[in-house]
Amino acid sequence: ANILGIQAAQHAFPELKHVAVFDTAFHQTMPSHAYRYAIPAEYYEKHGVRRYGFHGTSYRYVAQEAGRVLNRDSNRLALVIAHLGNGASISAVLNGKSQDTSMGLTPLEGLVMGTRSGDIDPSLFSFLSENFAMSVEQTTNMLNRQSGLLGLSGLSNDCRTLEAAAKEGHAGATLALEVFAYRLAKYIGAMTVAGGRLDALV
């Protein structure tokens, strides 16, 4: 889909230079202990299976903007930045460079999101296969599109709806918001470790 968009733009504006910006690029400064999975090395060495992270263009901008707002050099700040929305992630940015982030090989890893589960036990795949005859594709789809705030609440992936429902006593909405906040708080602590110190939480 992205390539189709590029091709359409090249066709419409052939005289212009076209540039692709990958939002994983910002996280290429992560140290190996942050991006490597604890699986056999050959999967990384031969196939590049590692944590890549996402939302990098957002993190780069927000880190610079935080420096401006704080009247500090963004290249001398230890920040924990939370990118919160239907797709959510968090990153430790030290001196303008990513040290760690919550999303991994795909955007599914990390925080609880609108319809994505975030971190789960990988053995869930075999458990669902053995007990409910769910295929890898079905489980992946469920974890990406039917989980997160929507799955926990049984109501919505929209925090506005969940907050209103929680005030009315909806147990699922309350639980979804509590899980979201709790997992976020745990990750804030973890990202503080990754940065070595904390000057600001954004």
Side-chain angles (χ1 to χ4, degrees):
N2 293 318
I3 291 172
L4 286 173
I6 291 169
Q7 290 171 339
Q10 288 174 326
H11 179 76
F13 306 103
E15 72 283 4
L16 298 180
K17 182 182 285 187
H18 297 263
V19 179
V21 179
F22 292 84
D23 71 351
T24 57
F26 180 74
H27 299 296
Q28 291 302 297
T29 55
M30 288 192 298
S32 58
H33 66 258
Y35 69 71
R36 287 289 297 273
Y37 286 118
I39 60 175
E42 65 180 293
Y43 292 101
Y44 168 70
E45 293 164 356
K46 294 180 180 177
H47 308 289
V49 176
R50 53 162 282 179
R51 302 179 67 253
Y52 286 95
F54 297 86
H55 297 145
T57 52
S58 173
Y59 285 121
R60 182 179 178 193
Y61 168 77
V62 171
Q64 292 170 346
E65 188 67 2
R68 186 190 68 77
V69 169
L70 295 169
N71 199 27
R72 302 261 307 267
D73 181 353
S74 61
N75 291 320
R76 294 187 176 196
L77 285 173
L79 304 171
V80 171
I81 304 171
H83 179 106
L84 303 178
N86 204 40
S89 66
I90 189 167
S91 187
V93 181
L94 179 64
N95 303 329
K97 296 181 178 178
S98 176
Q99 301 301 302
D100 200 355
T101 192
S102 57
M103 287 182 168
L105 176 69
T106 75
L108 185 57
E109 185 179 353
L111 300 175
V112 171
M113 304 173 222
T115 63
R116 293 182 188 135
S117 65
D119 293 341
I120 58 149
D121 182 340
S123 291
L124 181 67
F125 279 84
S126 59
F127 177 83
L128 294 177
S129 174
E130 292 165 9
N131 291 280
F132 302 101
M134 288 177 66
S135 68
V136 170
E137 183 179 4
Q138 287 173 317
T139 300
T140 300
N141 185 64
M142 179 267 291
L143 294 174
N144 275 290
R145 298 171 191 241
Q146 300 162 12
S147 299
L149 295 174
L150 175 63
L152 283 166
S153 70
L155 181 66
S156 176
N157 63 323
D158 191 318
C159 283
R160 294 166 296 187
T161 301
L162 296 178
E163 287 169 358
K167 285 180 183 176
E168 297 295 321
H170 190 287
T174 301
L175 176 64
L177 293 170
E178 287 176 348
V179 171
F180 178 82
Y182 176 68
R183 297 275 186 91
L184 173 60
K186 287 205 314 185
Y187 259 103
I188 290 169
M191 291 301 160
T192 304
V193 172
R197 68 178 205 276
L198 181 63
D199 295 321
L201 170 64
V202 186

